[in-house]
Amino acid sequence: MCRWFAYVSANEECLLEDVLITPAHSLAKQVHEHYLPKLLSHDPHEITTEHEVTARNRLFNVDGFGVAWYTPAREDFGQCAGLRPALYKCAQPPLHDTNFRSLCANTATKACFAHIRAATATPIVSGRHTFMHNGVVENFIDISREMCELMDNDSYANISGSTDSEHFAALYITYLTEGKGKSSWEQQYSVTKMRDAMKKTVKTVVELQKSKLGDKCEANSLNIATTDGTVLFAMRFRNHAQEQPPSLYFSIKAGVTMNSKYPDHPDGKENPSAYMRPEEHGSHVIVASEPSTYKPKEWNLIEKNHCIMVETDGSVKMEEITYPAELNSIAKG
């Protein structure tokens, strides 16, 4: 399965190298191994299906990666108001890419999304909005045409490949902007509106699956994050009564541990370059498929079918994602 990492802060930059490369269990190294505190194969009591052992715990994510980071460059040159995402993708493991290493060593940002996966589809950028997806829209080929018919023209045109993630993102941005097209991608929307658009997208996808396939449709794994560089919405979702989604955690402390300005280290090593006190670090939120520090107390597991909403002031709200029971898949994974 894919793995992703998201960071957002109103007042504290992170160095991409600190959060994506330096930790022994950084995202760039999750190509090879997993670290899942509070989870045992994503279910602490039992394994419900073979799918949960194989698909969700597969160790190799070697086909590609991408990183989007927010920068004030365009605002500084009078081209827009507010931060906008820069994007870098590559179809090889991240630690084999010297350009990626150089970029991370010299880039600081208050918001970033990074993703390793079995493709290079995400992060996906639409104007000021960035989107990531870990999981799968099942039976995608059966509903992709109907999904496209619900998108506005600009959102459809923004799809550059054939993946489920790109189509899901395009439908989401259509709902978020009420189909008003590319110019509306530059606007900011409340995190509650982002939540409502995401829930509508999920509901649409599941209803299309049910209408086309009935009880034969399989459950979707939808670990999704989206941001405009100032607020963040993420969810951990699977429409199955027993099966669990892929892992997802959040932290409001790990950013201090990973930031090389401060006297700590994600692996517990000495940090002689530190010159600031921990209490000086700004508020921040990290949402990630796996923890990047070996301090379990810094990380909180996001429960199944719950979402996290981060406001511009850094405040965090957790909320359950409810939906009708009849939209659960009963097909065997």
Side-chain angles (χ1 to χ4, degrees), residues 270-315:
E270 293 294 325
N271 179 16
S273 63
Y275 62 90
M276 297 186 71
R277 292 175 288 119
E279 57 269 24
E280 296 179 272
H281 194 285
S283 63
H284 67 285
V285 179
I286 296 171
V287 184
S289 300
E290 301 181 25
S292 298
T293 69
Y294 287 104
K295 290 184 174 182
K297 291 182 179 180
E298 290 185 336
W299 299 89
N300 301 280
L301 178 68
I302 297 175
E303 298 297 329
K304 175 185 177 181
N305 296 348
H306 280 69
C307 67
I308 180 171
M309 294 177 284
V310 183
E311 297 282 1
T312 54
D313 63 359
S315 60

Side-chain angles (χ1 to χ4, degrees), residues 182-227:
K182 196 170 185 178
S183 62
S184 65
W185 301 352
E186 301 300 328
Q187 297 177 24
Q188 291 182 288
Y189 301 89
S190 69
V191 71
T192 55
K193 186 162 186 178
M194 293 161 67
R195 174 204 62 195
D196 293 345
M198 195 67 71
K199 290 173 69 173
K200 184 177 180 180
T201 308
V202 172
K203 185 172 184 288
T204 297
V205 166
V206 177
E207 287 178 342
L208 286 174
Q209 291 167 331
K210 285 287 185 179
S211 67
K212 295 275 287 191
L213 299 165
D215 291 342
K216 294 181 180 180
C217 65
E218 299 178 41
N220 305 282
S221 288
L222 300 172
N223 280 18
I224 288 172
T226 185
T227 187

Side-chain angles (χ1 to χ4, degrees), residues 40-61:
L40 178 60
S41 295
H42 307 286
D43 188 333
H45 305 296
E46 61 179 331
I47 304 301
T48 57
T49 67
E50 183 179 354
H51 169 73
E52 290 195 316
V53 180
T54 57
R56 244 175 244 106
N57 292 329
R58 190 174 292 123
L59 293 181
F60 298 102
N61 304 283

Side-chain angles (χ1 to χ4, degrees), residues 1-3 30-31 34 58-63 116-117:
M1 268 294 167
C2 317
R3 290 293 182 265
Q30 289 169 26
V31 167
H34 295 335
R58 190 174 292 123
L59 293 181
F60 298 102
N61 304 283
V62 297
D63 288 347
I116 54 171
R117 60 168 293 145

Side-chain angles (χ1 to χ4, degrees), residues 23-43:
H25 196 66
S26 67
L27 181 74
K29 294 155 190 163
Q30 289 169 26
V31 167
H32 303 294
E33 60 182 39
H34 295 335
Y35 171 55
L36 304 170
K38 304 183 181 73
L39 289 176
L40 178 60
S41 295
H42 307 286
D43 188 333

Side-chain angles (χ1 to χ4, degrees), residues 163-192:
T163 66
D164 56 345
S165 298
E166 291 170 288
H167 286 72
F168 192 101
L171 188 56
Y172 161 73
I173 204 72
T174 295
Y175 289 156
L176 178 67
T177 63
E178 299 176 352
K180 294 178 181 177
K182 196 170 185 178
S183 62
S184 65
W185 301 352
E186 301 300 328
Q187 297 177 24
Q188 291 182 288
Y189 301 89
S190 69
V191 71
T192 55

